[in-house]
Amino acid sequence: MAQKEKRPKDWTREERLNALLEAAKLSDEELGAWCRQKGLHTHHLEKWRKELAQEQPSAEKATSKQLKKEIKELKSELNRKDKALAETSALLVLKKKADAIWGDNEDD
């Protein structure tokens, strides 16, 4: 008993991607034979290629949004650390001035 061929609309996303990659390597003549063997038409491949191309921008958009969020968080953390460093530096300068004025030099 021959295995029942899968309808093109029943192919999973991964199977479609693999089919597109496999078909891209074939010449026109080989592609025709390959499509008949798989129970496909070239218009199915074209449709899947367009669907995949439309999915790319949304995936890039999600990645871009995540990166922007991460950049914002890192800038915020950097700003906080810069302020803490400036405060520490100011306190150190004041301590040195106070030590110079009152002669409390603990380093000697």
Side-chain angles (χ1 to χ4, degrees), residues 46-85:
E46 211 36 58
K47 180 182 175 189
W48 294 348
R49 192 174 294 118
K50 287 178 183 177
E51 288 172 356
L52 184 64
Q54 289 175 350
E55 290 176 11
Q56 293 287 352
S58 63
E60 290 173 1
K61 187 176 179 180
T63 302
S64 176
K65 187 176 181 178
Q66 178 64 28
L67 288 174
K68 286 179 182 179
K69 181 181 177 185
E70 188 175 338
I71 288 170
K72 183 178 177 182
E73 290 171 356
L74 289 171
K75 283 183 178 180
S76 176
E77 183 179 351
L78 181 62
N79 190 29
R80 181 186 59 79
K81 288 182 178 183
D82 280 345
K83 287 179 182 179
L85 183 61

Side-chain angles (χ1 to χ4, degrees), residues 18-68:
N18 288 334
L20 287 172
L21 292 172
E22 192 175 335
K25 300 175 191 174
L26 304 174
S27 68
D28 287 342
E29 294 155 1
E30 294 171 325
L31 180 61
W34 181 85
C35 284
R36 284 188 296 279
Q37 178 187 8
K38 300 289 185 178
L40 296 172
H41 294 280
T42 54
H43 69 86
H44 293 122
L45 297 174
E46 211 36 58
K47 180 182 175 189
W48 294 348
R49 192 174 294 118
K50 287 178 183 177
E51 288 172 356
L52 184 64
Q54 289 175 350
E55 290 176 11
Q56 293 287 352
S58 63
E60 290 173 1
K61 187 176 179 180
T63 302
S64 176
K65 187 176 181 178
Q66 178 64 28
L67 288 174
K68 286 179 182 179

